[in-house]
Amino acid sequence: MRANEILPDEHDTLSINGMTVRKGSVGAFLANARQWLHPATPDHQRQRAQQDLRELLPALDALGLFEILEVRDPALRQWLDEHREAPQ
């Protein structure tokens, strides 16, 4: 399946089980995860990355991302698991 079959170019969002998923959610997750993992990231940027990651989690769960892929970094995987289980 091609990306445009999931979300055509003229659409910016997809609804999955009532959850609106924006185009770019997976890319934003990857960018924030890289920033969170980088040891030179200043605390304020790391906190912003955490907030952005937290906000993305419902959409990523709706996509089923973590049913297929596992985060390799143990600290990030633990953080994600803790925040996916906690109510927001």
Side-chain angles (χ1 to χ4, degrees), residues 15-21 56-65 67:
S15 180
I16 303 174
N17 299 323
M19 171 61 62
T20 300
V21 180
L56 285 165
L57 288 176
L60 300 175
D61 282 332
L63 285 170
L65 183 71
E67 293 173 22

Side-chain angles (χ1 to χ4, degrees), residues 6-85:
I6 301 285
L7 190 61
D9 290 338
E10 63 272 9
H11 294 270
D12 294 327
T13 62
L14 176 67
S15 180
I16 303 174
N17 299 323
M19 171 61 62
T20 300
V21 180
R22 292 190 46 81
K23 186 181 281 188
S25 294
V26 174
F29 168 76
L30 294 171
N32 284 300
R34 283 186 190 105
Q35 189 170 41
W36 191 89
L37 288 166
H38 198 283
T41 299
D43 285 342
H44 72 281
Q45 287 179 352
R46 184 179 168 95
Q47 290 173 0
R48 178 59 194 195
Q50 285 180 342
Q51 179 61 35
D52 292 343
L53 286 167
R54 191 176 294 116
E55 291 173 6
L56 285 165
L57 288 176
L60 300 175
D61 282 332
L63 285 170
L65 183 71
F66 302 112
E67 293 173 22
I68 303 299
L69 302 176
E70 181 178 62
V71 174
R72 290 177 22 185
D73 181 84
L76 180 57
R77 184 173 56 244
Q78 179 180 350
W79 186 91
L80 290 169
D81 288 345
E82 290 170 3
H83 288 85
R84 286 175 64 215
E85 295 171 358

